[in-house]
Amino acid sequence: MPRLSYRKALNRALADELARDEEVFLLGEDIRVAASNVTAGLLKRFGPERVRDTPLSEQAFTSFATGAALAGARPVVEFQIPSLLFLVFEQIVNHAHKFPLMTGGQCAVPVTYLVPGSGSRTGWAGQHSDHPYSLFAHVGVTTVVPATPADAYGLLVSAIRCDDPVVVFAPAGAMEVRADVDVASLQPVPLGRGVVRRPGDDVTVVAVGHLVHDALAVADDLADQVSVEVFDPRTLYPFDWDGLLASVSRTGRLVVVDDSNRSCGIAGEVIATVVERVRLDAPPRRVTRPDGAVLPFAPALDRAVQPGREHLRSAIQHVMKDG
Amino acid sequence: MTDPVRLYRTVRLIRRFEERAIELVRSGHVVGGIHPYLGQEGVAAGVCAALRPGDVVAGTHRGHGHVLAKGADPARMMAELCGRATGLNRGRGGSMHAADFAVGVLGANAIVGAGGAIVTGAVWARRRRGEDLVGVSFLGDGAVNEGMLLEAFNLAALWQVPVLFVCENNGYATTMPVAGAVAGSITGRAEAFGIPASVVDGQDPEAVRAATAAAVARMRAAGGPEFLEARTYRFDAHHTFEHAVRLDYRPPEEVARGRSRDPVDIAGSRLPPDRRAEVDASVEAELDAAVAFALAGPEPDPAGALEHLYASGLTARAGGG
């Protein structure tokens, strides 16, 4: 079976949707030459009207996409650095997200914001290493963080077809993941539905994005001591609460590993929702970046503030001991 | 209906709509207040008189005039101000977000300068489909200092999108006078991007109509954007709230001078007195009906407070315990 890379899966999703629907078009910085490699080959195939390089003007082209969507188009905006989302938070949250309600249902804003390489790309330092998905979940913008090539394809396709704005975070830590996937079998993956990546009985580990792979590795390492279930939510907003609650109700223990800052992060929301609904056997734990983290440059410092396998292993052992 | 009559009717309609809306603010029927357009009616009326029904506009937080001039129903607009289910936005938008997509109004927008890029994208997307239309982005003098708007100028000029940026220079951004806020010139902002810019007397609706018609004709022929600075004056407060806090930032003689050039009188002077009286009576009747319609409308059902939040049909989790 061919090996499909996560990056190629994103590329294929864009190509398939551009081919399927004339209203889909791409815009972003340096996408003609495919600086992130995600748009490789698309200019040649679809032309500059559908694959539009933009000047460095994130706020205007993000709202340009909103306007195009109001007129019936389905823009996909690529941001090559996650921190650019801070620049356009206003345009996404205050306009794209609010227009349908504020107009009393007169419009839809089907824009996809694609962020390949979100999170730390070791050595890119403070302003290129954020992973701001929790902000979008907080304001209620549909937020997806695929972990695998098949999900990268399927969730991006669903995002483009969704009538609401959707932010697709493709973690830097997942971009080089490859999997044995029959390309012909690739399917849209529904938004808002998580998946159990590894069944287990003792503890549910909720892992976001690339951390799914770390969670699976840790679960394997601990297999002779603990039976770990790994739950990949895939979509952070809307979150698959039913799927998660079913898992935690069985295991009775919860650990969340999430590559965003601790305060008001998605990990806190996962824990709060679970403890509102399930009586756990042990206090839950979360493994995150520190409060207010800014990623330092030096590789050892960069790694020091990211949630790692050792932290996760320790958290799992704690919840087993505590309960 | 001849053009002078139509122009006068629009100006008069906006004026009386605003005055009736202020009455409804004072009587508590409009909650949250409004940003009155009094004095600036000639701009919206003149610009929209030069547009076709299929053209699109994006307004500002001082947006009632733009929405009415483009053809929205005053009764549904008034109902929106009153927060009724019968309003243009079903009571979800209110004064600052009034929108009527059916007549090409992409919405008033409460974020200064935000409409420029939105209308540029909307016009671009529809022209890509082969539709022949132009767009208008109304903005205030405060907006010309917003970076996002300048980025929008660049995109519209670079990609040759026919959007007319209409700057309603009423002299103040809230309480900040233009002289204290704008380095360089307002038209110079657009000219820096190669966008043809002109200045018009915003108190004369016919002058605004003619300037807009000329700009729109050039845009339809050449494809690119244009910029029009309409010099106008806000007769009343920035917001109805202003009277309560007694802001004092404009010299009385300046206000008197500004009010002396009233677009209603300027447009009205071009009609025979009896014709003007007929229009006034018909506007009054329409607004009586609009106010009655607004006040008779049901309030929206609180159970549907977040209806329309998601076009995809997603429903939000409840916030209660």
Side-chain angles (χ1 to χ4, degrees), chain A residues 22-25 27 49-50 52-55 57-61 63-64 66-68 70-73 90-91 94-95 97 99-108 140-142 162-164 237-238 241 269 273, chain B residues 80 88-90 92-94 97 99-102 105-106 109 111 114 117-126 128-129 147-148 151-152 154-155 158-159 161 305-317:
Chain A
E22 275 288 317
E23 291 297 345
V24 175
F25 72 98
L27 72 166
E49 280 288 292
R50 313 270 316 273
R52 296 189 73 75
D53 247 5
T54 59
S57 43
E58 294 84 10
Q59 299 186 335
F61 70 65
S63 274
F64 179 94
T66 301
L70 291 175
E90 199 277 329
Q91 284 71 27
N94 223 5
H95 304 276
H97 173 59
F99 269 23
L101 183 139
M102 291 197 305
T103 60
Q106 293 182 57
C107 65
V141 173
T142 296
C162 180
D163 284 339
D164 291 319
Y237 188 90
W241 297 119
E269 180 55 39
T273 299
Chain B
E80 185 59 33
L88 282 177
N89 305 28
R90 302 184 174 92
R92 269 72 173 177
H97 307 306
D100 190 351
F101 279 59
V105 180
L106 303 183
N109 198 314
I111 301 301
I118 292 171
V119 74
T120 301
V123 169
W124 178 85
R126 286 180 55 180
R128 189 166 74 88
R129 262 188 238 130
M148 176 171 52
E151 290 183 13
N154 188 52
L155 284 191
L158 195 68
W159 294 347
V161 185
L306 290 186
E307 198 184 350
H308 313 298
L309 179 58
Y310 295 105
S312 64
L314 177 64
T315 51
R317 266 200 301 171

Side-chain angles (χ1 to χ4, degrees), chain A residues 277-302:
Chain A
R277 303 277 295 275
V278 178
R279 189 176 296 276
L280 294 172
D281 297 334
R285 294 248 168 184
R286 56 185 153 152
V287 180
T288 65
R289 294 186 183 189
D291 272 353
V294 175
L295 253 65
F297 164 68
L301 303 180
D302 172 314

Side-chain angles (χ1 to χ4, degrees), chain A residues 144-310:
Chain A
V144 305
V145 192
T148 67
D151 277 359
Y153 176 90
L155 288 166
L156 180 52
V157 166
S158 294
I160 294 169
R161 295 182 191 178
C162 180
D163 284 339
D164 291 319
V166 181
V167 189
V168 179
F169 287 92
M175 290 293 282
E176 303 310 324
V177 169
R178 286 177 160 72
D180 291 328
V181 176
D182 178 2
V183 169
S185 73
L186 290 170
Q187 291 289 327
V189 171
L191 303 174
R193 205 169 303 162
V195 64
V196 172
R197 292 282 176 204
R198 180 189 200 281
D201 302 318
D202 296 333
V203 55
T204 300
V205 170
V206 176
V208 176
H210 63 293
L211 296 172
V212 167
H213 304 287
D214 292 299
L216 291 170
V218 170
D220 282 347
D221 284 353
L222 295 176
D224 56 346
Q225 306 163 40
V226 191
S227 172
V228 175
E229 177 147 306
V230 176
F231 182 83
D232 172 5
R234 304 197 283 195
T235 305
L236 299 184
Y237 188 90
F239 199 99
D240 182 2
W241 297 119
D242 291 343
L244 175 62
L245 291 170
S247 170
V248 181
S249 299
R250 273 193 308 100
T251 61
R253 294 181 186 83
L254 173 66
V255 172
V256 188
V257 55
D258 149 38
D259 183 31
S260 69
N261 293 356
R262 197 168 188 84
S263 235
C264 301
I266 192 73
E269 180 55 39
V270 169
I271 288 174
T273 299
V274 168
V275 300
E276 280 173 343
R277 303 277 295 275
V278 178
R279 189 176 296 276
L280 294 172
D281 297 334
R285 294 248 168 184
R286 56 185 153 152
V287 180
T288 65
R289 294 186 183 189
D291 272 353
V294 175
L295 253 65
F297 164 68
L301 303 180
D302 172 314
R303 280 194 298 277
V305 291
Q306 287 187 68
R309 293 184 185 185
E310 278 312 307

